[in-house]
Amino acid sequence: MITGVVIWPSAPILWFEQQGLVALSSDSSVAGQLKQCLVQMRQTWELVGAFDRVLIVGPLAPRPVGDRADRLGEHPVVAPVDEQSPAHSLTDPLAEVDPNWSLPTSITARLVRGFGYAGPIDAIEVGIRPAADSAGVPVTTADSLSTARKGVIAAAKAIDAACGTAGRTLLLAVGDGAAAHGDRAPLARDDRSQEYDESVHRAINLGQPAQLLDALAVDDRGCPLGLRLGSLGFWPMCTVAALDLIGQGTVHFDAAPLGVGYQVGTWIPSSVSQRPAIS
């Protein structure tokens, strides 16, 4: 069963900060926000029920290493859930947990390990695979959107089936928001970013899947606004909504220190008792 859902950003800078690999100015507002984000991420572990494994829901995105699947181009793919995945070693925190996972999924897994979790980590990825010649940006067409949406439904069914037989599972959704906040953003500035992210935050706080789907479904000339704004968390959050888990939702942190919406949230199904997840 799914004991709870945690929503995290997957930015590499968070992992660098967690590992002490970057020296950020102590008086920088950006550094302060990144540190506060990590504090809230760690505290989410204390707010979910006890669990036996972590299942990351990530986006189809460029891989951190060469990937033979890149030949698939933009075609959406749903990676299978591996119920037999063994616990991964903590001896080398720099090692890839799985070279077939996307960079956002891999970074999320590294953050989990950095917080001291030593149990099994599995992953499922959804969305539209970026074309090999598109600089990592998915080619969004009506057909690819339709296929990706079908993939989300298939992923939700796979998660539901796997979690129904594999003990207690903590679902960890990659939840990066709009990537067009202000002039420092990876994408061209789009002032709709704040309104979009806030609508997603309101839906999470309500703990209602239908409201979350409504927030994600906002359209911009035939393309979901979340995709137009470069949200890596768009398809993972669609998958969370498709699971139809009604419960207590809370956004614990939201800011855009580097032009990307970072949100930290929890979504606790109503039937799950709250017990510490990690001692």
Side-chain angles (χ1 to χ4, degrees):
M1 65 178 295
I2 297 174
T3 63
V5 180
V6 171
I7 302 162
W8 281 0
S10 64
I13 188 66
L14 292 171
W15 185 77
F16 294 150
E17 167 67 20
Q18 181 194 60
Q19 299 297 313
L21 298 177
V22 294
L24 298 171
S25 173
S26 60
D27 60 356
S28 165
S29 62
V30 170
Q33 288 179 323
L34 291 173
K35 292 178 185 295
Q36 182 60 28
C37 184
L38 283 167
V39 167
Q40 292 299 322
M41 289 166 70
R42 180 63 181 87
Q43 289 181 355
T44 57
W45 287 107
E46 308 301 334
L47 300 176
V48 295
F51 55 88
D52 304 307
R53 69 165 181 166
V54 170
L55 175 58
I56 298 173
V57 183
L60 284 169
R63 267 52 179 163
V65 294
D67 178 18
R68 61 184 180 276
D70 285 341
R71 295 195 299 270
L72 294 172
E74 67 164 313
H75 299 293
V77 176
V78 177
V81 178
D82 181 5
E83 297 182 35
Q84 306 300 321
S85 177
H88 297 286
S89 171
L90 289 175
T91 56
D92 181 7
L94 290 172
E96 288 298 333
V97 178
D98 188 325
N100 289 317
W101 291 354
S102 70
L103 180 59
T105 303
S106 297
I107 288 296
T108 303
R110 290 182 181 193
L111 285 162
V112 169
R113 294 296 185 215
F115 285 128
Y117 176 73
I121 300 177
D122 299 318
I124 190 166
E125 296 186 332
V126 291
I128 302 172
R129 187 181 297 280
D133 59 351
S134 65
V137 178
V139 179
T140 306
T141 65
D143 287 343
S144 63
L145 282 173
S146 175
T147 305
R149 290 187 175 107
K150 292 177 182 177
V152 164
I153 295 172
K157 290 180 178 178
I159 291 169
D160 188 59
C163 293
T165 59
R168 300 167 299 185
T169 300
L170 173 66
L171 208 63
L172 178 47
V174 171
D176 302 55
H181 286 271
D183 298 328
R184 301 179 61 184
L187 301 183
R189 176 172 180 163
D190 192 319
D191 291 335
R192 296 175 295 178
S193 295
Q194 182 173 350
E195 181 180 353
Y196 171 78
D197 281 353
E198 287 178 352
S199 69
V200 173
H201 299 158
R202 287 194 297 270
I204 293 172
N205 281 324
L206 287 172
Q208 295 287 336
Q211 278 80 358
L212 180 56
L213 279 176
D214 286 345
L216 296 167
V218 176
D219 191 79
D220 178 32
R221 303 188 306 279
C223 177
L225 181 59
L227 294 183
R228 189 81 69 188
L229 297 174
S231 170
L232 280 177
F234 179 82
W235 294 113
M237 294 304 295
C238 285
T239 305
V240 170
L243 285 166
D244 202 27
L245 299 172
I246 297 175
Q248 177 64 49
T250 308
V251 174
H252 304 275
F253 176 88
D254 67 273
L258 297 171
V260 179
Y262 291 174
Q263 60 184 357
V264 178
T266 51
W267 192 305
I268 311 299
S270 302
S271 60
V272 177
S273 62
Q274 295 190 20
R275 300 181 299 278
I278 298 178
S279 59

